[in-house]
Amino acid sequence: VQLVESGGGLVQPGGSLRLSCTVFGVSFDYYAIGWFRQAPGKVREGVSCISSGDGSRYYEDSVKGRFTISKDSAKITVYLQMNSLKPEDTGVYLCTAERRPLGCTLVAGADDYWGQGTQVTVSS
């Protein structure tokens, strides 16, 4: 199993980025995909996730209305569109794959697969 993130970078406050997570070795039919972020000196937190099956979406409160998660099964890729970025959105963004029949969670699980992460820096 391999998860490969891309799309990070440096952006000014108010700007946008789209992150991609390409997932090899697991099926979107059985695995929920999530995005977490790790900021310096802070606990890793769940940002958004999308379930297997019906593709239900969940968001951490601070990103609701600004971030949108989606998936393209044909491209085995999950996207995180991030708009109206703020300096507090800065961090390493990592995607995860969790085997889960229904729904998804913003809490990391012991059996989750993780990517290496992509750096997002929001600064003027």
Side-chain angles (χ1 to χ4, degrees):
V1 178
Q2 186 178 17
L3 290 78
V4 180
E5 300 98 335
S6 62
L10 172 64
V11 64
Q12 293 186 342
S16 298
L17 285 173
R18 188 177 79 158
L19 305 184
S20 299
C21 173
T22 302
V23 182
F24 302 94
V26 300
S27 170
F28 287 171
D29 290 340
Y30 305 107
Y31 280 77
I33 306 299
W35 284 97
F36 287 69
R37 65 185 174 196
Q38 179 78 63
K42 294 187 178 181
V43 175
R44 184 176 294 182
E45 64 174 349
V47 175
S48 181
C49 63
I50 187 165
S51 69
S52 60
D54 68 355
S56 299
R57 298 167 173 83
Y58 300 87
Y59 299 94
E60 191 268 330
D61 286 345
S62 70
V63 308
K64 286 179 180 177
R66 300 189 297 122
F67 291 11
T68 302
I69 192 169
S70 62
K71 64 181 176 182
D72 185 333
S73 296
K75 295 182 178 179
I76 53 171
T77 298
V78 171
Y79 302 99
L80 186 67
Q81 178 67 44
M82 306 187 297
N83 299 328
S84 302
L85 283 161
K86 305 175 180 180
E88 51 264 43
D89 294 318
T90 294
V92 176
Y93 283 69
L94 308 102
C95 63
T96 70
E98 175 193 22
R99 187 174 177 95
R100 193 177 185 91
L102 292 172
C104 63
T105 176
L106 299 182
V107 177
D111 296 326
D112 292 356
Y113 296 102
W114 291 82
Q116 292 300 307
T118 184
Q119 177 70 44
V120 171
T121 303
V122 185
S123 176
S124 55

